[in-house]
Amino acid sequence: KAFILKFSNNSWSFNNIIMSCDILFTSPTFDKNPVFPSIFTSEMPPLFVEITAVLLAIASRATKPKLSVWEGNTKISLTNDHETVFYNERGSFNRSLGVIFIAAENELKERKLDVADVFAASGVRGIRYANETESIKTLYLNDISPNSEEILKKNIKMNQIDSFSEIYIKDANYFLILKATEGERLDVVDIDPFGPPTPFIDCGLQAVKKNGVIAITATDLAPLCGIPKKAALRKYGSLSIREEFCHETASRILIKIVLEACGRRGLTF
């Protein structure tokens, strides 16, 4: 839209072309059939036609789903013959820090670890832990989506870690309680959901071993930074402030909710 407005000094309606782009770019069939709808050429000045062609080319590349990715030293498939799974490219640095942590935890404990990736999707996080360190005894990959199962099987086989990996297709809390009740508690429980991790922390603590680690990621940073304030109060029981130090405040809020959950279960930290 900004690109269009920069050149939009013609009498043709700005709103018409913006509306056209909104319709086109949100079409579920755009990546398969990127054609010019009639609204794009109807009474459109030549300059707009040229700009629209450029935007179509950009959007065509942007909306085509990736079939596979390389992250760190690990190749991950994101699709089977029918479906793709969620992949957050912006989380790659977070996962790289996780790889370093797993290697360090292995050295501290002087033994290999039982690790669970509770919201696996493609399995990129857990598979990187196994593939880029020599620290994993058993890797548990869980996701509630049935679409993930075939893709997870493909990825653990492709990265040659299938001999010590187990796949579960279950609700996250059910999976964690299952590990706890079966006596298969974990050294590391990694919780990286879509949105706040608060609904899963209590069960995560139940599933972790003594002196184990629970790792949490919150993808809803806006409420944690005070936008809007009531959302943070509802999700995290805290009021955040929109200031230059809001990211530090967000980290402290996450630490607080884990400590509160530990207190409820009589755990020390």
Side-chain angles (χ1 to χ4, degrees):
K1 293 180 183 179
F3 186 66
I4 292 170
L5 291 174
K6 183 176 179 181
F7 292 94
S8 294
N9 55 2
N10 200 292
S11 59
W12 201 72
S13 169
F14 294 171
N15 288 334
N16 284 354
I17 193 164
I18 290 172
M19 179 183 69
S20 303
C21 286
D22 282 344
I23 292 170
L24 182 65
F25 294 169
T26 57
S27 167
T29 60
F30 176 76
D31 60 311
K32 298 178 182 177
N33 188 27
V35 297
F36 284 88
S38 59
I39 190 170
F40 270 86
T41 54
S42 175
E43 302 178 3
M44 185 185 289
L47 179 58
F48 280 115
V49 175
E50 292 178 18
I51 295 171
T52 301
V54 173
L55 288 173
L56 280 167
I58 294 171
S60 178
R61 290 194 297 271
T63 56
K64 288 181 179 178
K66 293 182 178 180
L67 301 181
S68 63
V69 294
W70 275 96
E71 189 174 298
N73 296 326
T74 303
K75 185 178 181 181
I76 295 292
S77 174
L78 302 177
T79 184
N80 54 28
D81 295 335
H82 312 289
E83 302 288 343
T84 58
V85 292
F86 176 74
Y87 170 72
N88 180 11
E89 186 173 359
R90 294 170 64 187
S92 61
F93 179 70
N94 176 299
R95 292 185 285 269
S96 294
L97 289 177
V99 170
I100 296 169
F101 170 80
I102 292 293
E105 186 72 4
N106 170 226
E107 287 198 18
L108 287 171
K109 285 190 165 60
E110 297 181 339
R111 61 175 174 80
K112 292 192 174 184
L113 309 172
D114 295 316
V115 177
D117 183 357
V118 182
F119 293 87
S122 65
V124 59
R125 181 182 290 276
I127 292 172
R128 284 194 64 189
Y129 292 172
N131 197 41
E132 297 176 31
T133 73
E134 296 181 354
S135 307
I136 307 297
K137 177 183 176 183
T138 306
L139 175 64
Y140 299 95
L141 298 167
N142 177 73
D143 199 278
I144 196 171
S145 171
N147 295 334
S148 292
E149 185 171 15
E150 186 177 337
I151 296 171
L152 286 169
K153 288 178 179 177
K154 180 194 296 187
N155 284 330
I156 63 174
K157 186 174 182 179
M158 180 168 59
N159 287 280
Q160 300 179 350
I161 61 168
D162 48 320
S163 62
F164 57 92
S165 299
E166 296 183 20
I167 295 171
Y168 290 77
I169 305 299
K170 299 185 183 300
D171 171 80
N173 281 329
Y174 180 83
F175 165 76
L176 292 167
I177 293 297
L178 191 66
K179 292 289 105 184
T181 56
E182 289 180 348
E184 297 179 353
R185 286 186 167 84
L186 306 154
D187 293 296
V188 179
V189 173
D190 202 307
I191 298 173
D192 181 11
F194 182 78
T198 42
F200 313 103
I201 291 174
D202 281 275
C203 292
L205 289 171
Q206 193 165 342
V208 77
K209 292 178 182 177
K210 183 179 180 180
N211 297 322
V213 175
I214 179 169
I216 62 171
T217 301
T219 58
D220 58 335
L221 189 57
L224 286 168
C225 288
I227 311 170
K229 290 183 179 179
K230 288 185 178 180
L233 185 61
R234 183 179 72 252
K235 295 178 179 180
Y236 297 98
S238 300
L239 281 173
S240 186
I241 304 171
R242 179 59 174 166
E243 294 289 350
E244 61 182 16
F245 51 83
C246 65
H247 290 168
E248 179 184 345
T249 303
S251 298
R252 290 175 181 270
I253 290 172
L254 290 176
I255 293 169
K256 183 214 73 163
I257 63 169
V258 175
L259 297 185
E260 287 177 342
C262 287
R264 286 192 295 272
R265 308 201 65 81
L267 300 174
T268 56
F269 39 82

XYZ file of all heavy atoms in Angstrom, residues 204-258:
413
model
N 3.398 -28.683 33.085
C 4.809 -28.782 32.756
C 5.659 -29.049 33.983
O 6.574 -29.878 33.960
N 5.340 -28.373 35.084
C 6.068 -28.593 36.334
C 5.836 -29.995 36.877
O 6.724 -30.594 37.483
C 5.643 -27.551 37.373
C 6.117 -26.119 37.104
C 5.460 -25.151 38.076
C 7.638 -26.025 37.211
N 4.639 -30.516 36.659
C 4.340 -31.866 37.122
C 5.138 -32.915 36.345
O 5.467 -33.979 36.871
C 2.842 -32.143 36.990
C 2.370 -33.375 37.727
C 0.871 -33.401 37.881
O 0.195 -32.392 37.746
N 0.316 -34.580 38.145
N 5.456 -32.590 35.088
C 6.131 -33.568 34.223
C 7.651 -33.494 34.290
O 8.331 -34.364 33.740
C 5.678 -33.371 32.780
N 8.199 -32.475 34.941
C 9.650 -32.306 34.943
C 10.272 -33.016 36.137
O 9.678 -33.125 37.210
C 10.009 -30.800 34.926
C 9.830 -30.159 36.297
C 11.419 -30.572 34.411
N 11.478 -33.523 35.958
C 12.199 -34.211 37.027
C 12.689 -33.216 38.077
O 12.760 -32.008 37.840
C 13.417 -34.950 36.459
C 13.114 -36.127 35.578
C 14.407 -36.733 35.037
C 14.133 -37.907 34.095
N 15.375 -38.447 33.507
N 13.078 -33.758 39.238
C 13.753 -32.946 40.240
C 15.049 -32.410 39.630
O 15.789 -33.135 38.972
C 14.051 -33.784 41.484
C 14.684 -32.989 42.614
C 14.924 -33.871 43.829
C 15.572 -33.070 44.957
N 15.823 -33.908 46.149
N 15.297 -31.128 39.850
C 16.445 -30.430 39.253
C 16.345 -30.365 37.733
O 17.354 -30.155 37.044
C 17.775 -31.080 39.660
C 18.036 -31.005 41.143
O 17.712 -29.989 41.780
N 18.580 -32.064 41.716
N 15.119 -30.545 37.210
C 14.904 -30.405 35.775
C 14.655 -28.962 35.388
O 14.717 -28.047 36.208
N 14.356 -28.764 34.115
C 14.189 -27.416 33.557
C 12.870 -27.327 32.811
O 12.522 -28.225 32.040
C 15.347 -27.075 32.588
C 15.108 -25.737 31.910
C 16.677 -27.075 33.317
N 12.131 -26.238 33.051
C 10.974 -25.927 32.229
C 11.293 -24.644 31.466
O 11.634 -23.622 32.059
C 9.686 -25.801 33.076
C 8.498 -25.440 32.176
C 9.831 -24.806 34.206
C 7.153 -25.563 32.888
N 11.254 -24.724 30.152
C 11.563 -23.581 29.287
C 10.264 -23.080 28.668
O 9.507 -23.872 28.103
C 12.548 -24.001 28.198
N 10.000 -21.788 28.792
C 8.750 -21.244 28.259
C 9.031 -20.110 27.279
O 9.977 -19.347 27.442
C 7.804 -20.753 29.379
C 8.438 -19.607 30.172
C 7.414 -21.885 30.296
C 7.487 -18.938 31.126
N 8.200 -20.046 26.264
C 8.250 -18.966 25.281
C 6.858 -18.355 25.191
O 5.869 -19.073 25.105
C 8.661 -19.491 23.896
O 9.944 -20.118 23.996
C 8.732 -18.364 22.872
N 6.797 -17.031 25.207
C 5.531 -16.317 25.032
C 5.582 -15.553 23.713
O 6.463 -14.715 23.521
C 5.287 -15.350 26.193
N 4.669 -15.851 22.815
C 4.652 -15.167 21.518
C 3.715 -13.970 21.506
O 3.654 -13.252 20.516
C 4.237 -16.143 20.401
O 2.951 -16.687 20.713
C 5.230 -17.276 20.264
N 2.982 -13.763 22.602
C 2.077 -12.611 22.670
C 2.764 -11.477 23.430
O 2.396 -11.121 24.544
C 0.753 -12.995 23.334
C 0.943 -13.546 24.736
O 2.034 -14.064 25.021
O 0.012 -13.438 25.549
N 3.773 -10.888 22.795
C 4.591 -9.885 23.467
C 3.830 -8.591 23.745
O 4.123 -7.905 24.721
C 5.830 -9.586 22.624
C 6.905 -8.719 23.268
C 7.401 -9.336 24.568
C 8.063 -8.497 22.308
N 2.864 -8.262 22.910
C 2.153 -6.983 23.087
C 1.516 -6.853 24.475
O 1.741 -5.855 25.163
C 1.116 -6.801 21.985
N 0.721 -7.827 24.937
C 0.167 -7.699 26.290
C 1.241 -7.622 27.370
O 1.103 -6.875 28.338
C -0.675 -8.970 26.451
C -0.999 -9.395 25.076
C 0.190 -9.014 24.254
N 2.327 -8.367 27.208
C 3.405 -8.330 28.190
C 4.097 -6.977 28.229
O 4.758 -6.639 29.211
C 4.429 -9.424 27.880
C 4.001 -10.849 28.217
C 4.953 -11.850 27.593
C 3.932 -11.053 29.726
N 3.948 -6.204 27.151
C 4.524 -4.859 27.095
C 3.465 -3.779 27.324
O 3.689 -2.607 27.014
C 5.218 -4.636 25.749
S 6.762 -5.556 25.592
N 2.309 -4.186 27.826
C 1.304 -3.207 28.209
C 0.392 -2.735 27.102
O -0.171 -1.640 27.180
N 0.220 -3.538 26.040
C -0.669 -3.153 24.938
C -1.660 -4.284 24.673
O -1.307 -5.259 24.002
C 0.133 -2.896 23.627
C 1.327 -1.980 23.894
C -0.762 -2.293 22.557
C 2.267 -1.881 22.720
N -2.880 -4.245 25.139
C -3.395 -3.293 26.136
C -3.122 -3.816 27.543
O -2.830 -5.004 27.732
C -4.885 -3.286 25.833
C -5.160 -4.668 25.327
C -3.923 -5.119 24.604
N -3.252 -2.971 28.529
C -2.885 -3.339 29.898
C -3.773 -4.445 30.453
O -3.309 -5.350 31.145
C -2.965 -2.105 30.799
C -1.870 -1.076 30.533
C -1.961 0.082 31.505
C -0.847 1.082 31.241
N -0.920 2.235 32.168
N -5.061 -4.397 30.151
C -5.986 -5.368 30.728
C -5.704 -6.783 30.219
O -5.993 -7.753 30.902
C -7.427 -4.966 30.432
C -7.885 -3.746 31.224
C -9.353 -3.449 30.984
C -9.818 -2.268 31.819
N -11.248 -1.944 31.597
N -5.160 -6.897 29.024
C -4.853 -8.226 28.479
C -3.784 -8.912 29.319
O -3.863 -10.112 29.602
C -4.407 -8.116 27.026
N -2.749 -8.174 29.743
C -1.700 -8.754 30.585
C -2.262 -9.154 31.942
O -1.888 -10.194 32.502
C -0.559 -7.759 30.757
N -3.179 -8.349 32.463
C -3.788 -8.674 33.755
C -4.612 -9.949 33.647
O -4.580 -10.806 34.538
C -4.665 -7.512 34.220
C -5.290 -7.640 35.609
C -4.219 -7.748 36.675
C -6.207 -6.453 35.895
N -5.331 -10.103 32.536
C -6.170 -11.288 32.338
C -5.328 -12.541 32.112
O -5.614 -13.597 32.680
C -7.101 -11.060 31.137
C -8.077 -12.218 30.883
C -8.986 -11.926 29.711
N -8.297 -11.996 28.434
C -7.990 -10.940 27.691
N -8.301 -9.722 28.085
N -7.366 -11.076 26.523
N -4.284 -12.449 31.315
C -3.501 -13.631 30.937
C -2.418 -13.979 31.951
O -2.093 -15.152 32.137
C -2.849 -13.405 29.570
C -3.833 -13.263 28.422
C -3.101 -12.998 27.115
C -4.060 -12.871 25.951
N -3.344 -12.620 24.670
N -1.833 -12.948 32.572
C -0.660 -13.176 33.418
C -0.827 -12.693 34.856
O 0.094 -12.856 35.665
C 0.563 -12.482 32.803
C 0.946 -13.025 31.451
C 0.544 -12.401 30.270
C 1.702 -14.183 31.341
C 0.901 -12.907 29.026
C 2.065 -14.701 30.111
C 1.659 -14.055 28.954
O 2.002 -14.566 27.735
N -1.960 -12.073 35.175
C -2.170 -11.578 36.529
C -1.241 -10.441 36.895
O -0.918 -10.235 38.058
N -0.798 -9.674 35.898
C 0.127 -8.565 36.121
C -0.267 -7.381 35.244
O -0.836 -7.566 34.164
C 1.564 -8.971 35.791
O 1.993 -10.045 36.583
N 0.078 -6.199 35.706
C -0.098 -4.991 34.912
C 1.261 -4.571 34.376
O 2.190 -4.336 35.155
C -0.705 -3.862 35.745
C -2.211 -3.926 35.988
C -2.636 -2.832 36.962
C -2.978 -3.780 34.677
N 1.392 -4.516 33.073
C 2.638 -4.098 32.456
C 2.565 -2.629 32.065
O 1.477 -2.060 31.939
C 2.937 -4.951 31.224
O 4.209 -4.627 30.703
N 3.727 -2.019 31.889
C 3.816 -0.603 31.549
C 4.500 -0.480 30.199
O 5.547 -1.084 29.957
C 4.623 0.171 32.604
C 4.012 -0.017 33.993
C 4.699 1.647 32.257
C 4.859 0.534 35.107
N 3.909 0.341 29.349
C 4.497 0.575 28.030
C 5.594 1.633 28.162
O 5.345 2.833 28.065
C 3.411 1.020 27.042
C 3.922 1.323 25.638
C 4.607 0.135 25.012
N 4.979 0.369 23.636
C 5.816 -0.390 22.946
N 6.371 -1.428 23.526
N 6.107 -0.114 21.696
N 6.819 1.160 28.428
C 7.968 2.041 28.586
C 9.151 1.452 27.825
O 9.066 0.348 27.276
C 8.324 2.194 30.070
C 7.263 2.913 30.903
C 7.168 4.399 30.604
O 8.056 4.909 29.876
O 6.217 5.046 31.079
N 10.274 2.169 27.831
C 11.446 1.697 27.091
C 12.021 0.412 27.675
O 12.749 -0.321 26.992
C 12.515 2.788 27.054
C 13.034 3.197 28.419
C 14.055 4.321 28.346
O 14.137 4.990 27.296
O 14.772 4.515 29.336
N 11.696 0.116 28.938
C 12.185 -1.102 29.578
C 11.114 -2.188 29.618
O 11.187 -3.115 30.430
C 12.662 -0.806 31.009
C 11.663 -0.054 31.844
C 10.638 -0.713 32.502
C 11.745 1.326 31.961
C 9.710 -0.038 33.261
C 10.823 2.024 32.731
C 9.804 1.342 33.381
N 10.099 -2.105 28.728
C 8.959 -3.027 28.796
C 9.369 -4.484 28.549
O 8.747 -5.401 29.075
C 7.862 -2.603 27.822
S 8.324 -2.695 26.087
N 10.423 -4.719 27.765
C 10.844 -6.105 27.520
C 11.417 -6.742 28.784
O 11.230 -7.931 29.029
C 11.871 -6.148 26.389
C 11.272 -5.835 25.052
N 12.033 -5.585 23.932
C 9.983 -5.711 24.654
C 11.243 -5.335 22.902
N 9.995 -5.403 23.321
N 12.111 -5.950 29.589
C 12.581 -6.475 30.878
C 11.394 -6.776 31.786
O 11.357 -7.815 32.461
C 13.504 -5.470 31.565
C 14.001 -5.975 32.915
C 14.846 -4.965 33.657
O 15.298 -3.980 33.046
O 15.054 -5.167 34.869
N 10.410 -5.883 31.778
C 9.197 -6.117 32.568
C 8.513 -7.401 32.122
O 8.054 -8.197 32.944
C 8.227 -4.928 32.431
O 8.893 -3.723 32.832
C 6.991 -5.125 33.297
N 8.450 -7.614 30.810
C 7.823 -8.820 30.273
C 8.536 -10.076 30.771
O 7.899 -11.059 31.166
C 7.834 -8.771 28.742
N 9.873 -10.052 30.788
C 10.638 -11.205 31.281
C 10.359 -11.462 32.755
O 10.205 -12.610 33.187
C 12.139 -10.968 31.080
O 12.439 -10.819 29.712
N 10.260 -10.393 33.515
C 9.989 -10.539 34.949
C 8.593 -11.110 35.187
O 8.377 -11.893 36.121
C 10.148 -9.195 35.651
C 11.594 -8.720 35.726
C 11.697 -7.318 36.318
N 13.073 -6.874 36.368
C 13.915 -7.063 37.388
N 13.482 -7.728 38.467
N 15.147 -6.608 37.357
N 7.640 -10.723 34.360
C 6.277 -11.260 34.492
C 6.280 -12.763 34.215
O 5.638 -13.548 34.925
C 5.309 -10.525 33.545
C 5.083 -9.088 34.041
C 3.974 -11.264 33.444
C 4.287 -8.231 33.073
N 7.012 -13.195 33.189
C 7.092 -14.622 32.879
C 7.748 -15.402 34.010
O 7.299 -16.495 34.372
C 7.858 -14.830 31.569
C 7.163 -14.373 30.289
C 8.080 -14.556 29.091
C 5.858 -15.117 30.068
N 8.809 -14.848 34.574
C 9.460 -15.509 35.716
C 8.482 -15.612 36.879
O 8.390 -16.648 37.557
C 10.726 -14.733 36.130
C 11.784 -14.834 35.028
C 11.275 -15.263 37.453
C 12.959 -13.907 35.212
N 7.718 -14.547 37.105
C 6.757 -14.526 38.219
C 5.712 -15.617 38.098
O 5.403 -16.314 39.076
C 6.063 -13.157 38.271
C 5.090 -12.997 39.425
C 3.888 -12.138 39.087
C 2.926 -12.861 38.167
N 1.584 -12.257 38.114
N 5.188 -15.841 36.880
C 4.120 -16.842 36.755
C 4.664 -18.259 36.965
O 3.953 -19.129 37.459
C 3.383 -16.734 35.396
C 4.320 -17.008 34.221
C 2.685 -15.394 35.256
C 3.601 -17.162 32.901
N 5.932 -18.486 36.623
C 6.534 -19.795 36.886
C 6.739 -19.982 38.390
O 6.447 -21.052 38.946
C 7.866 -19.951 36.132
C 8.544 -21.263 36.512
C 7.638 -19.908 34.625
